[in-house]
Every structure is written in structure tokens, then in C-alpha cells.
Amino acid sequence: MKEAYVINQVFENGDFSQFQKGEYENCIFRNCHLEYMDLSFFSFNDCEFIGCNLSMAKLVSTAFREVVFKECKMFGLHFDECNEFGMSFRFEGCSLNNSVFYKTSIKKTLFKNSKLTEVDFAEADLSNSIFNNCDLSGAIFENSNLEKADFRTSFNYTIDPASNRLKKAKFSLSEVHGLLYRLDIDIDRNS
């Protein structure tokens, strides 16, 4: 079966199972139901997903290049299985709980107003990324490159400076306890 090539289309309120595997360029997906879909080997270039549910979608060799996700539910996604060539995206107002970015190179990624509960960023290259007003409860940072990353407006993170690269990373004073948790010290937040 020939793979689809779709350009400049808007898909709304649909179930993506009706669409063909292939390449989608400069397309908008609005309120689409993509949960549990097999999106393996699909390619999305300069696309925008708005208010979509992509939870538990299969992403083996899926290409995301210059993709924007806004207000999307994205639980349990394995971005570590995606095609890494040119992978770039940004997330605004998304819920990415329990998603995996293990060993991905996603430099300069914007995570804005998003829930990143228990997301696995182990061994990921997040250098120059921005975490703007994000909840990082239980997020895993282990041997991650966080150089020049900006966490100043984010909260609930625990990052071990001994096992991550943090040169020139930015943090707020009010959340600095997230860097000191391994020292097992009491920090009085009321003083």
C-alpha cells in the first residue's frame, strides 16, 4: 500500500484510525482522538496538535520535526522510540505524565505550563531547554545533560547535581531544595 503524503490539511474532532500511514506536513490536528493508536513510521513535519489525546500511542520510528503540542493529553508516550533525526517539538499546556524521553537528544525544547509527573528524562540531552511553569513531580533526571536549561519557574523537581550535568542551568531560590534532597538536610521554607 502506498504511503500518504498530506500537506496543509486541518483534521478536527476525528479518530485518526481513518488516516493512512505516511507523511503529514504543515497540518493541524484539533481535538483528535489518537490514544492507543499505532503511529509507528508516521512522519509529522511542521504540524500542530491542539487539544488532542495521544495517550499510550505507539511511536516506533515516528518522526516529529518542528511539531507543536498545545493542551494535549500525552500519558505514557515513548519518545525514546521515535526517529531521532531532526526531532524537535514544543509542549504548551500538555500533560505528559509517565512519558519517556530516555536517551533522547531534545536540545532547546520548550515545556510550558505542562504536567511532567514521573516523566523519564534519564540520559537525555535537554541542554538549553526551558521548563516554564511545569510540575516535575517524580520526574527522573539521571545522567541527563541539563546545561543551560531553565527551571526558574518550575516546581516539584528533584535533581541530583552529582549525577547530572548542570553547568549554567537556572533555578529559582524558592525551589532550590529540589537540588539538595540527597543531602538529607532539613530546609526551613518559612524563614
Side-chain angles (χ1 to χ4, degrees):
M1 177 183 275
K2 186 177 180 190
E3 289 193 356
Y5 178 71
V6 181
I7 188 167
N8 298 326
Q9 295 291 314
V10 176
F11 301 95
E12 293 191 79
N13 303 312
D15 181 347
F16 203 65
S17 62
Q18 65 189 336
F19 303 111
Q20 287 183 294
K21 187 176 291 190
E23 184 172 351
Y24 292 81
E25 187 169 337
N26 201 33
C27 292
I28 296 174
F29 301 90
R30 187 177 286 116
N31 300 318
C32 292
H33 309 288
L34 311 169
E35 64 271 356
Y36 297 101
M37 294 296 305
D38 186 353
L39 299 176
S40 298
F41 299 98
F42 277 72
S43 181
F44 300 99
N45 303 305
D46 297 303
C47 291
E48 198 168 341
F49 291 83
I50 304 166
C52 296
N53 184 350
L54 295 103
S55 295
M56 303 302 292
K58 192 172 180 182
L59 301 178
V60 176
S61 294
T62 304
F64 291 113
R65 297 183 182 105
E66 300 298 325
V67 173
V68 176
F69 296 98
K70 291 182 180 175
E71 305 298 326
C72 291
K73 184 177 177 183
M74 309 174 75
F75 295 169
L77 295 181
H78 278 265
F79 290 97
D80 58 324
E81 296 178 348
C82 288
N83 179 341
E84 277 204 44
F85 180 74
M87 184 164 54
S88 62
F89 32 59
R90 73 176 192 256
F91 304 92
E92 298 177 21
C94 294
S95 293
L96 288 126
N97 300 355
N98 301 102
S99 289
V100 179
F101 291 91
Y102 177 70
K103 286 191 174 182
T104 57
S105 179
I106 50 173
K107 300 175 185 180
K108 299 181 181 178
T109 299
L110 172 64
F111 296 90
K112 183 177 182 181
N113 300 324
S114 295
K115 282 192 66 87
L116 303 167
T117 305
E118 297 185 10
V119 171
D120 184 354
F121 290 112
E123 298 186 39
D125 186 349
L126 292 153
S127 56
N128 293 289
S129 290
I130 298 172
F131 293 85
N132 185 343
N133 194 39
C134 293
D135 183 354
L136 290 155
S137 300
I140 299 166
F141 295 97
E142 187 68 36
N143 296 316
S144 305
N145 182 352
L146 304 173
E147 293 179 353
K148 297 183 182 176
D150 190 342
F151 291 91
R152 289 179 293 182
T153 58
S154 288
F155 48 94
N156 296 329
Y157 53 79
T158 52
I159 300 171
D160 183 359
S163 64
N164 292 285
R165 293 168 54 188
L166 296 175
K167 187 174 183 178
K168 302 285 186 187
K170 297 173 183 151
F171 299 93
S172 69
L173 185 58
S174 63
E175 290 293 320
V176 77
H177 62 278
L179 298 171
L180 304 173
Y181 77 99
R182 293 203 80 190
L183 299 176
D184 196 26
I185 58 177
D186 292 323
I187 299 171
D188 185 357
R189 297 187 197 188
N190 297 322
S191 338

